[in-house]
Amino acid sequence: MLRSFDLVLIGVMTAMAVVTYSIKHRADEKLTEVRRLETEIKLERDTIDLLRADWALLTQPNRLQPLSKVYDAELSLVPTDPTQLAMPKELPMLKSQLPQPETTIEDIIAGKSGEVAAALKGVEAAKATPAPKIPLPLPRGWSPDAISTGSVNR
């Protein structure tokens, strides 16, 4: 006959089997989540690589040179002069070193300053004049995106 000790051991063994199964089940769920995250990371990395390749294709000088010639009238691009580059000591002072204004915000709101009144008149004059029309590019026979690089098949 079964003794009570045998029944206790059977109960402990059953409990351990349930605990082992639950731990295994949680580990499998975590492994599935890790694989899903790895797949998402790989997809994001592939997307970044694709966008970098697209950026490299779009910024090729042999593509940008004809575009700059086509839209030269609208863009008015000129090369940068060496005198346009500034040294760090030539940059303006820090914001903390700027002198404080003589007028306060209350004076500006009240319009006590003559400069503020003149600026407000200029704003009103600018509002009264109609806005200039934005020039639209004319349709062209040549498509800038039709450059064949040999690396992309469409």
Side-chain angles (χ1 to χ4, degrees), residues 10-63:
I10 290 172
V12 168
M13 196 169 58
T14 305
M16 294 305 286
V18 169
V19 169
T20 304
Y21 177 74
S22 65
I23 291 173
K24 179 190 176 296
H25 183 65
R26 280 187 279 160
D28 287 342
E29 287 178 348
K30 293 295 181 185
L31 184 62
T32 304
E33 184 179 354
V34 166
R35 287 187 179 143
R36 182 186 60 81
L37 290 174
E38 286 175 347
T39 304
E40 286 181 15
I41 290 171
K42 184 179 182 324
L43 178 66
E44 291 295 324
R45 285 184 179 158
D46 290 345
T47 303
I48 290 170
D49 289 342
L50 181 66
L51 290 173
R52 283 184 180 153
D54 192 30
W55 180 255
L57 181 69
L58 291 175
T59 57
Q60 285 180 351
N62 62 351
R63 179 181 177 275

Side-chain angles (χ1 to χ4, degrees), residues 5 12 15 25 28 33 36-37 42 46 49 54 62 65 69-70 72-73 76 80 83 90 113 115 117 120 123 143:
F5 182 70
V12 168
H25 183 65
D28 287 342
E33 184 179 354
R36 182 186 60 81
L37 290 174
K42 184 179 182 324
D46 290 345
D49 289 342
D54 192 30
N62 62 351
Q65 184 67 33
K69 288 180 183 176
V70 168
D72 188 37
S76 303
T80 304
T83 58
E90 297 172 341
S113 172
E115 295 172 357
L120 290 175
V123 169
S143 173

Side-chain angles (χ1 to χ4, degrees), residues 54-135:
D54 192 30
W55 180 255
L57 181 69
L58 291 175
T59 57
Q60 285 180 351
N62 62 351
R63 179 181 177 275
L64 294 177
Q65 184 67 33
L67 281 174
S68 67
K69 288 180 183 176
V70 168
Y71 295 106
D72 188 37
E74 290 89 0
L75 298 175
S76 303
L77 297 175
V78 293
T80 304
D81 291 332
T83 58
Q84 289 179 315
L85 302 177
M87 299 299 291
K89 62 183 178 184
E90 297 172 341
L91 294 175
M93 64 183 76
L94 298 174
K95 190 174 183 179
S96 61
Q97 297 173 344
L98 287 174
Q100 295 300 318
E102 296 173 1
T103 59
T104 63
I105 190 73
E106 291 82 15
D107 293 341
I108 293 173
I109 292 172
K112 293 180 181 176
S113 172
E115 295 172 357
V116 173
L120 290 175
K121 287 179 185 176
V123 169
E124 294 300 324
K127 285 182 182 177
T129 59
K133 294 178 99 179
I134 298 173

